[in-house]
Amino acid sequence: MIDPDSTRQAKGISILLVDDHPVVRQGYRRVLEHQSDFRVVAEADNAVNAYRAFKTHAPDIVVMDISMPGASGLEAIRNIRLRHSGSRILVFSMHSEAALVKAAFSAGASGYVTKSSEPAALIKAIRAVARGEHAMSDDIAHVLAMESLSPSGSVLDQLGEREIEILRQLAGGATAEQIASNLNLSIKTVQNYHYLIKTKTGMRTDAQLVRLAVECGLASL
């Protein structure tokens, strides 16, 4: 029997790079392609295009940002993993909040590296994820360790990744109609999630939800 991991290593690691900033993608593409065993086979600038590129190119690894217009990287991870359970996705984000990190892993990510990390950390994580391992940068490991020691945890621990995504979009000013379109849901389903988010977090108003999202790093004022 042929070991798929051995085959992957022999031919090099193919990568789909997903980030909504062209200059950022260009910079990281240069970094990655300096490695003789890395090949960036495609790029995408949003969740929808990320899934299309994944279907077209079937990369070994997806390097995915979280914050993008419309549906976020969380939704892209969820969609790819739902249809391709063996896919390997590494989040590469400026965000290091525990709630987002846990949501990314819950959605199906295999690793999480912050953009403040040295390029070597990203390269090391890609190789680890390609081997079927989980990986994270040192700062993410520290954040998760500290969060686990908190006696109360985060109120967002009660939310699933879909609820966190909807909260993120609500806090960003999206309407129920826009969220429904971004996530391919009915408006009624979005409204039901909205109600559940308020119930689980104990927030009574949308203003309180926005403040919670900002405090937890899901949105900015």
Side-chain angles (χ1 to χ4, degrees):
M1 180 180 292
I2 297 175
D3 182 352
D5 286 339
S6 298
T7 302
R8 178 181 293 112
Q9 292 171 7
K11 71 177 182 178
I13 300 169
S14 60
I15 299 168
L16 165 60
L17 189 57
V18 184
D19 193 292
D20 63 317
H21 295 100
V23 174
V24 172
R25 291 199 309 273
Q26 184 179 40
Y28 287 116
R29 182 172 191 136
R30 287 201 195 98
V31 169
L32 298 180
E33 290 187 335
H34 272 303
Q35 306 301 307
S36 60
D37 57 335
F38 286 3
R39 295 179 296 118
V40 178
V41 295
E43 299 179 13
D45 59 359
N46 59 48
V48 173
N49 290 336
Y51 181 65
R52 288 173 179 164
F54 184 89
K55 288 197 299 180
T56 300
H57 298 278
D60 297 321
I61 303 292
V62 182
V63 177
M64 176 87 68
D65 192 11
I66 286 286
S67 298
M68 293 184 286
S72 76
L74 289 178
E75 190 66 13
I77 295 167
R78 185 177 180 276
N79 282 336
I80 291 172
R81 290 282 298 173
L82 185 64
R83 295 166 175 83
H84 306 274
S85 60
S87 57
R88 296 173 179 180
I89 303 172
L90 173 67
V91 173
F92 188 49
S93 173
M94 63 179 287
H95 296 288
S96 60
E97 294 77 14
L100 270 178
V101 175
K102 290 191 290 185
F105 280 114
S106 179
S110 298
Y112 200 115
V113 175
T114 56
K115 290 182 177 179
S116 60
S117 303
E118 293 294 327
L122 174 61
I123 292 166
K124 179 181 178 182
I126 290 174
R127 291 203 171 104
V129 171
R131 293 193 298 268
E133 303 169 5
H134 284 77
M136 62 185 75
S137 51
D138 291 343
D139 52 347
I140 291 300
H142 177 74
V143 165
L144 292 182
M146 294 304 295
E147 199 271 345
S148 69
L149 295 175
S150 171
S152 58
S154 168
V155 66
L156 296 189
D157 287 345
Q158 303 170 69
L159 304 182
E161 69 270 12
R162 176 54 66 85
E163 290 164 332
I164 287 178
E165 171 65 5
I166 289 175
L167 174 58
R168 184 193 72 84
Q169 293 198 35
L170 283 169
T175 64
E177 290 80 5
Q178 290 169 327
I179 296 171
S181 176
N182 289 338
L183 304 183
N184 196 28
L185 299 172
S186 70
I187 295 175
K188 180 63 175 177
T189 298
V190 172
Q191 291 170 337
N192 288 341
Y193 272 121
H194 192 175
Y195 174 78
L196 284 172
I197 291 167
K198 283 183 175 178
T199 300
K200 289 182 176 182
T201 60
M203 302 292 107
R204 295 184 178 182
T205 68
D206 285 353
Q208 290 176 325
L209 284 178
V210 170
R211 186 161 57 247
L212 173 65
V214 171
E215 289 173 352
C216 293
L218 295 182
S220 58
L221 292 175

